[in-house]
Amino acid sequence: MTKLKTWAFYLCVVGLIVISMISVNTTQAKAAIEPGHEIKFNIKPEIFNESTIVQAFQATKKDDVKVYFYDTLDQSFLRDDYIHRLRVYKGSNKMDVTYKKRFLNTPLSEAMAETMNHGFTGSESNYKFELDIKGDHRTFTISRKESLKTSAEVSYDSVATNVAKKLILENAPKKIVNWNSEAWYKNTLSQVVVYGPANATNYKGSFLGHEADIEVWQYKGDIMVELSTKVDDAAQAATIEKQWYEQLLSTGYLSGDQRGKTAFVMDK
């Protein structure tokens, strides 16, 4: 082989390597998991009823919803950080089942590494990756919502538990079913009971210049009011969290109870 041909060969090889590296890096960049951020605060239910919510947050009412959670009596799913939630809407034939895998008390980098080890890339359009920010907790979550139609057995007025269990199983995403093992998941789901329903009223408004969701949950004589917003950028999330916290604290709006909605229902 002549020197000229040898150099041409090496240049070709180097070129292919560079192109391959660029391709891999581009794919990794597109596939990287970049969670959104949801900032949440519970505000005092003794202050905020419908009229004060509308006034304080320039809010409009969206939905009345009944919310059910499904787990075993000893909460086997929750112990392994699975959440199954059914929401049924008043005056509508729509309902949805949300499947959530959370990483409680787990650093974000570790949670995302485990998520990728289970086959997630971040490019899944039908899953949502979020960092839930509430009180002292920073909880990475993977969730998927399946929108369904109500029926005679599952409606706003009543939900048959066995029918709901069947719907949850039939629509369960494979990545959730197989996280531990399909056998474990199906066996655990077969034993679930219902927690709820909680009655929730949802509002859309704004707070300190940012879009805000306000949810009023009522269950077993207790009331929780949650104020929240969602942003993509971590720095913006930190700024909003600080601004909202300081404002809610100074106005006396901040509740001493900063439980999540799942705990509000399932801890009773």
Side-chain angles (χ1 to χ4, degrees), residues 208-240:
L208 299 183
H210 301 284
E211 287 189 358
D213 291 304
I214 305 96
E215 298 184 37
V216 181
W217 284 44
Q218 301 183 56
Y219 186 56
K220 292 188 175 181
D222 200 1
I223 301 175
M224 173 181 285
V225 184
E226 183 186 79
L227 172 71
S228 67
T229 193
K230 296 182 179 183
V231 296
D232 291 329
D233 183 70
Q236 185 184 12
T239 299
I240 294 172

